[in-house]
Amino acid sequence: MIIIKIKKATYEYSHNIWEWRNDKFTRKMSKNSNYITWENHKKWFSKVIIDPDIFFYIGEIENKIMGSVRFVKHEKSLDDYFVNINISPNSRGKGLSKLFLKSSINKLSSEVNKIRFLKAEVKEINYLSKKLFRNYGFEKEKFSKNKIITYKLYIDKN
């Protein structure tokens, strides 16, 4: 049985996250497919890990990091979060994403008192993420003109 340990993202993981984000496949599937410079990443990362409305986690299997998940509180809601998941290039294709998402949602639920919905924005061409969120129980909410699909999972953790 595979156990994914969920840890808070810290500066020690910043370089790995930057490399994963700039991976060719990750960029193609991201809403912003531009290359991110190290300087811009460092600025972004420094803000994200201290933001009280962002829960940023690293997944680890047998002391090896395998991906990151970020939950960002929706700016117009007190209890809705957007989820962003990225499996490291070396960990892809091993069937880890659903377990990683589940473990991360459990971690978020242990740290946040109230969660109503989780939402995921996925590029229309990103078949793997669409399958992940649908298989987890997220429902298609809307499709935007820029070919982004929003999926929504009702949590209602009060």
Side-chain angles (χ1 to χ4, degrees), residues 16-135:
N16 295 94
I17 292 167
W18 173 68
E19 287 180 341
W20 300 342
R21 168 54 183 86
N22 281 320
D23 169 75
K24 185 178 180 179
F25 182 76
T26 301
R27 287 178 45 209
K28 181 178 179 182
M29 296 303 150
S30 296
K31 283 176 22 180
N32 173 3
S33 58
N34 296 331
Y35 179 86
I36 305 298
T37 66
W38 174 240
E39 287 305 313
N40 285 341
H41 172 78
K42 286 192 306 186
K43 291 174 192 171
W44 170 84
F45 193 85
S46 295
K47 291 176 186 174
V48 166
I49 63 170
I50 62 169
D51 189 325
D53 291 331
I54 298 176
F55 295 81
F56 199 178
Y57 304 119
I58 295 293
E60 187 177 87
I61 299 173
E62 297 177 354
N63 297 318
K64 293 181 182 168
I65 57 174
M66 50 74 58
S68 66
V69 173
R70 210 171 57 251
F71 296 95
V72 180
K73 186 183 277 189
H74 189 288
E75 60 190 36
K76 296 178 183 173
S77 170
L78 297 175
D79 50 9
D80 294 352
Y81 291 82
F82 283 95
V83 58
N84 177 289
I85 185 169
N86 189 8
I87 306 296
S88 74
N90 293 337
S91 298
R92 291 182 189 143
K94 298 179 181 178
L96 299 171
S97 60
K98 190 172 180 182
L99 177 59
F100 184 35
L101 181 61
K102 180 181 181 178
S103 299
S104 300
I105 290 171
N106 289 341
K107 178 73 168 171
L108 177 71
S109 292
S110 75
E111 295 187 3
V112 175
N113 291 329
K114 190 170 184 182
I115 304 169
R116 186 174 54 139
F117 290 106
L118 293 179
K119 294 184 179 186
E121 294 180 321
V122 180
K123 262 187 173 176
E124 200 272 330
I125 63 167
N126 191 342
Y127 299 105
L128 294 172
S129 287
K130 290 190 312 186
K131 181 180 175 184
L132 167 66
F133 290 113
R134 280 194 316 263
N135 286 346

